Amino acid sequence: MTYKEARVYLDHVSKYGSVLGLDTIRELLRELQDPQKDLNFIHIAGTNGKGSVLAYTSSVLSEAGYRTGRYISPTVVSYLEKIQVDQIPISEDTFARLTEQTMQAIDRMIAAGKSSPTVFEIETAIAFLYFKEQHCDFVVLECGMGGESDATNIIPSPVCAVFTAVSLDHLGILGNTLEEIARTKSGIIKPGCRVVSAPQDDEVLAVLKCQAARNGCPLHTVNAADIQILREDCLGQSISYQEYQDLPVSLPGTHQAVNAAVALEVITGLKQQGYSIPEDAIRRGFSGVRWFGRFTCLKKEPLFFVDGAHNPAAARCLRETLERCFPGKRLILVMGVFKDKDYRNIAAIMAPLAASVHTVTLPDASRSLPGQTLALVMREYCNENVPVQAEPSIDAAVRSALQEVGKHDVIVAFGSLSYLGAVAESVEAISRPNP
């Protein structure tokens, strides 16, 4: 099987959608000799911040000399970044070989009358095979959706179960209230693991405390009052948290300071369990993190940022960052979002900052909120006389924003992560010198 054939196979499977539950992936992994049972996991659930906490934690572990796997979802720049070891994505040839091995296991399942796995279950199985093959010391694992019934939760008890900020998202799938969503996510807590949490609303924290106590697990919650932001600009910050002083963090924003503190709590727990993680590894790990789509600067003249703020909680974090970093600046917004997101509240949060707005339809048109519809919503919340334009393409939106930007203005493209890679490609193409 070639890489192209592997992708065609997975694209075909993806047409059948997703199903929450562990029965099918349990059967698939059994056919593959249960590679997950030979790995040590740090399992991360939450609504916002999972990718950033994963990046901080895995970067530090790699710097400390541990062979560290990453499994992330969704990807932004390239498909293969979903599965990495020490920040290096799996190769096309290896991915194709493991996909073929997994497909053969699925054929045996189907022949035995068992259910066929979803594409996310297949990708998760491929990742576990690869991490075992690569002899990873740790795998930092991001939940795809939820927790309890997410395919990643097939793992044995993790070294640490981590919870980033939990807010309302995927309503009707994970639950209809914050408490129900927290209960679903808390399913990654298993006996014997350490539990680390970002600051949470009271109802979320109550659920995590109950689940941790039920499984006999210590719970360590970040105290926001212990976080000090010493310096900050649009390209990063320096923080202190408990015994960690003046630590360089490569991503700006108060929410990123919290995410960094969550990762520090994980690292502290690992050190207490006997793992060697020197302070210089922590400093190198935090200062070296590059995490596309988390207030990423694509261009400095003029300033052009992208951010995956696709729900109200993330939008509030983005707004706070913009207000802190660019007080009084003229902001040009580019926005695209899936139609199942709370786009009206996102618009209400972000639109008042805008000097102008360009809306787009995302590449996955079946899931995207049409740019024209989004433009109508943004107009409701923008200040008077602010122009709002639905653009015919992502490239057209980028070009329009760059044409109108002034020397001291800032462009911010935000919303669903899935289109930010296309934004980056357009910016690069437009900025590239003519031969």
Side-chain angles (χ1 to χ4, degrees):
M1 175 178 277
T2 65
Y3 174 68
K4 183 177 180 180
E5 290 169 339
R7 290 295 306 276
V8 169
Y9 168 69
L10 291 171
D11 287 345
H12 174 74
V13 174
S14 70
K15 295 176 183 177
Y16 298 102
S18 61
V19 178
L20 292 174
L22 302 179
D23 292 342
T24 304
I25 193 168
R26 183 178 290 111
E27 290 292 337
L28 175 58
L29 290 170
R30 188 175 294 141
E31 286 285 343
L32 296 169
Q33 309 303 313
D34 285 318
Q36 79 282 3
K37 292 184 178 179
D38 296 317
L39 296 165
N40 294 316
F41 292 96
I42 296 167
H43 203 183
I44 305 176
T47 306
N48 297 310
K50 296 191 297 292
S52 297
V53 171
L54 176 146
Y56 293 131
T57 304
S58 58
S59 181
V60 167
L61 290 173
S62 292
E63 290 288 347
Y66 295 103
R67 196 155 177 77
T68 306
R70 288 181 173 185
Y71 186 53
I72 62 175
S73 177
T75 59
V76 181
V77 179
S78 73
Y79 176 82
L80 292 177
E81 69 181 342
K82 184 183 294 284
I83 302 169
Q84 304 177 31
V85 172
D86 292 333
Q87 290 84 64
I88 300 173
I90 186 173
S91 71
E92 291 186 357
D93 288 346
T94 302
F95 184 84
R97 173 173 55 80
L98 295 179
T99 300
E100 185 170 16
Q101 181 180 341
T102 306
M103 186 177 70
Q104 291 168 352
I106 293 168
D107 289 342
R108 294 192 296 271
M109 289 172 60
I110 294 172
K114 297 173 182 175
S115 299
S116 181
T118 66
V119 68
F120 185 68
E121 290 168 334
I122 296 170
E123 291 167 339
T124 302
I126 292 168
F128 291 163
L129 286 171
Y130 183 61
F131 296 142
K132 180 179 178 181
E133 193 175 87
Q134 291 292 306
H135 305 291
C136 286
D137 300 302
F138 290 101
V139 174
V140 189
L141 187 67
E142 184 180 341
C143 280
M145 183 186 295
E148 182 177 24
S149 299
D150 186 80
T152 61
N153 203 34
I154 195 65
I155 64 171
S157 187
V159 177
C160 189
V162 187
F163 297 89
T164 63
V166 175
S167 61
L168 293 173
D169 202 8
H170 300 296
L171 290 174
I173 300 174
L174 304 182
N176 294 306
T177 67
L178 200 53
E179 184 177 354
E180 289 175 355
I181 291 171
R183 194 173 296 118
T184 298
K185 292 182 183 293
S186 73
I188 69 169
I189 298 174
K190 299 184 178 76
C193 75
R194 178 186 176 97
V195 183
V196 168
S197 175
Q200 305 284 2
D201 290 333
D202 289 344
E203 55 263 58
V204 174
L205 190 57
V207 169
L208 297 182
K209 284 180 176 178
C210 181
Q211 186 75 347
R214 184 179 294 124
N215 286 276
C217 302
L219 170 63
H220 301 266
T221 303
V222 167
N223 183 357
D226 290 343
I227 303 171
Q228 291 180 284
I229 298 177
L230 306 179
R231 293 176 297 280
E232 181 186 20
D233 61 27
C234 65
L235 301 177
Q237 60 188 309
S238 178
I239 70 166
S240 292
Y241 180 72
Q242 296 180 351
E243 72 265 34
Y244 304 100
Q245 296 295 307
D246 201 2
L247 188 69
V249 177
S250 62
L251 303 175
T254 304
H255 61 296
Q256 287 297 351
V258 173
N259 290 333
V262 172
L264 288 171
E265 286 285 359
V266 175
I267 291 160
T268 297
L270 293 173
K271 289 166 67 177
Q272 290 173 354
Q273 293 176 65
Y275 293 100
S276 175
I277 306 175
E279 183 172 339
D280 64 336
I282 298 172
R283 291 185 172 277
R284 289 195 307 272
F286 273 79
S287 63
V289 165
R290 300 292 179 267
W291 201 237
F292 185 84
R294 282 69 177 182
F295 205 65
T296 304
C297 183
L298 300 182
K299 192 174 175 66
K300 293 184 178 179
E301 292 184 2
L303 282 169
F304 196 132
F305 290 86
V306 291
D307 190 90
H310 61 274
N311 56 44
R316 282 189 287 272
C317 289
L318 175 58
R319 177 169 177 158
E320 180 181 329
T321 299
L322 291 170
E323 290 176 331
R324 284 167 64 97
C325 292
F326 305 117
K329 293 283 188 180
R330 185 172 178 273
L331 302 179
I332 300 167
L333 304 184
V334 178
M335 181 181 178
V337 70
F338 288 132
K339 61 187 176 185
D340 62 346
K341 297 299 181 181
D342 188 0
Y343 55 85
R344 183 166 288 277
N345 275 326
I346 299 172
I349 292 164
M350 293 298 299
L353 299 182
S356 72
V357 179
H358 304 268
T359 63
V360 300
T361 302
L362 304 186
D364 186 352
S366 64
R367 291 186 61 198
S368 178
L369 182 73
Q372 295 86 347
T373 304
L374 182 55
L376 291 174
V377 174
M378 288 293 280
R379 281 194 189 99
E380 293 181 36
Y381 296 101
C382 283
N383 295 324
E384 191 176 359
N385 298 323
V386 168
V388 179
Q389 175 67 39
E391 300 288 355
S393 68
I394 293 169
D395 186 67
V398 171
R399 290 180 182 278
S400 295
L402 286 170
Q403 284 170 2
E404 72 169 275
V405 69
K407 183 178 180 180
H408 301 293
D409 301 342
V410 182
I411 303 171
V412 184
F414 70 98
S416 295
L417 280 165
S418 63
Y419 89 104
L420 300 184
V423 171
E425 289 175 3
S426 291
V427 171
E428 182 179 0
I430 295 167
S431 304
R432 192 181 300 128
N434 291 324

